[in-house]
Amino acid sequence: MEILPTDLQLYIDTHLDAEPDELKKINRDTYVKVLRPHMLSGHYQGRLLSMLSKMVSPKRILEIGTFTGYATICLAEGLTDDGFIDTIEVNAELEETLRHNFSLTSVEKKIRLHIGPAVDVIADFESQPFDLVFIDADKKNNLLYFAAILEKVRPGGLIIIDNVLWKGKVYGDANDTDTKLIRELNDKIAADTRVEKVILPVRDGILLIRKK
């Protein structure tokens, strides 16, 4: 879902760094073989995630919601030489696809895939704090995920939550359950004094959160 005008999005897309070949393949294969391919981050958002990761230069990243691994690979591009990303996917049917997609890249050995419910996996992580967290899973549990990971993020660490503008419905008259839950997430984080925050109108809306 793109919320920017088409001509503006096209202009932005022509002024990005090129999409790496392995990500082009994953993008194409996702649209051919996987249900709901629009869930993939894609070129524009992927380059943003890569740049944010490189700016943070994280040693440890957590991703909640792997899908076909596109964003995972983009985030891994910014890891330190000894860094790694833990990525959690609840759909076990995607495991074979994910391991294949990761094998196409130079960051494969930095990716640790976990299959299972995110809250259960997070509870088992050791005490070393995360430098960067990307939340892009089932939207109804975003507040639960935020609460579960905040104390596991170092001060100054970055949390990124996707789809917070929800096709523009959060600032319209829509009153369905999913829209109300995302409004609640945005409102509660806006009022949370433990973090700094800003929403970017990238694709379906990205919420950037910096832990104080």
Side-chain angles (χ1 to χ4, degrees), residues 120-180:
D120 295 343
V121 176
I122 292 167
D124 290 336
F125 285 139
E126 66 271 21
S127 58
Q128 181 184 358
F130 292 104
D131 304 296
L132 192 159
V133 176
F134 181 45
I135 301 174
D136 187 19
D138 53 319
K139 310 310 170 188
K140 67 177 181 290
N141 284 317
N142 276 350
L143 265 176
L144 180 64
Y145 299 144
F146 176 75
I149 59 92
L150 185 60
E151 294 306 313
K152 296 179 182 289
V153 175
R154 66 165 173 82
L158 185 65
I159 303 166
I160 307 169
I161 305 179
D162 200 9
N163 304 111
V164 296
L165 294 180
W166 203 234
K167 306 172 186 176
K169 293 167 74 174
V170 292
Y171 50 87
D173 297 328
N175 208 30
D176 59 275
T177 299
D178 287 342
T179 301
K180 288 192 287 187

Side-chain angles (χ1 to χ4, degrees), residues 46-193:
R47 289 305 88 201
L48 175 62
L49 293 174
S50 175
M51 182 172 289
L52 289 170
S53 183
K54 289 171 181 174
M55 292 170 70
V56 173
S57 192
K59 183 173 182 179
R60 193 168 185 208
I61 301 174
L62 171 64
E63 179 185 41
I64 302 174
T66 318
F67 193 43
T68 57
Y70 190 103
T72 316
I73 295 162
C74 295
L75 291 166
E77 292 173 4
L79 284 164
T80 58
D81 289 342
D82 60 344
F84 57 90
I85 177 169
D86 286 293
T87 184
I88 306 170
E89 174 55 48
V90 72
N91 184 358
E93 293 183 0
L94 287 172
E95 181 173 1
E96 183 177 351
T97 295
L98 283 166
R99 296 199 183 280
H100 169 72
N101 288 348
F102 296 151
S103 74
L104 302 175
T105 75
S106 62
V107 295
E108 178 186 11
K109 295 188 186 313
K110 295 186 174 187
I111 300 171
R112 305 198 307 195
L113 175 63
H114 307 264
I115 302 295
V119 173
D120 295 343
V121 176
I122 292 167
D124 290 336
F125 285 139
E126 66 271 21
S127 58
Q128 181 184 358
F130 292 104
D131 304 296
L132 192 159
V133 176
F134 181 45
I135 301 174
D136 187 19
D138 53 319
K139 310 310 170 188
K140 67 177 181 290
N141 284 317
N142 276 350
L143 265 176
L144 180 64
Y145 299 144
F146 176 75
I149 59 92
L150 185 60
E151 294 306 313
K152 296 179 182 289
V153 175
R154 66 165 173 82
L158 185 65
I159 303 166
I160 307 169
I161 305 179
D162 200 9
N163 304 111
V164 296
L165 294 180
W166 203 234
K167 306 172 186 176
K169 293 167 74 174
V170 292
Y171 50 87
D173 297 328
N175 208 30
D176 59 275
T177 299
D178 287 342
T179 301
K180 288 192 287 187
L181 286 170
I182 292 170
R183 281 199 194 108
E184 180 186 10
L185 168 80
N186 294 340
D187 291 345
K188 287 195 173 181
I189 291 179
D192 194 325
T193 59

Side-chain angles (χ1 to χ4, degrees), residues 2 4-19 27 41-48 70 202-203:
E2 307 288 354
L4 298 179
T6 301
D7 54 351
L8 174 56
Q9 188 64 58
L10 287 171
Y11 183 83
I12 291 171
D13 288 344
T14 60
H15 291 77
L16 292 174
D17 285 334
E19 186 179 31
N27 194 334
S41 289
H43 183 194
Y44 174 36
Q45 183 171 320
R47 289 305 88 201
L48 175 62
Y70 190 103
V202 173
R203 294 195 71 225

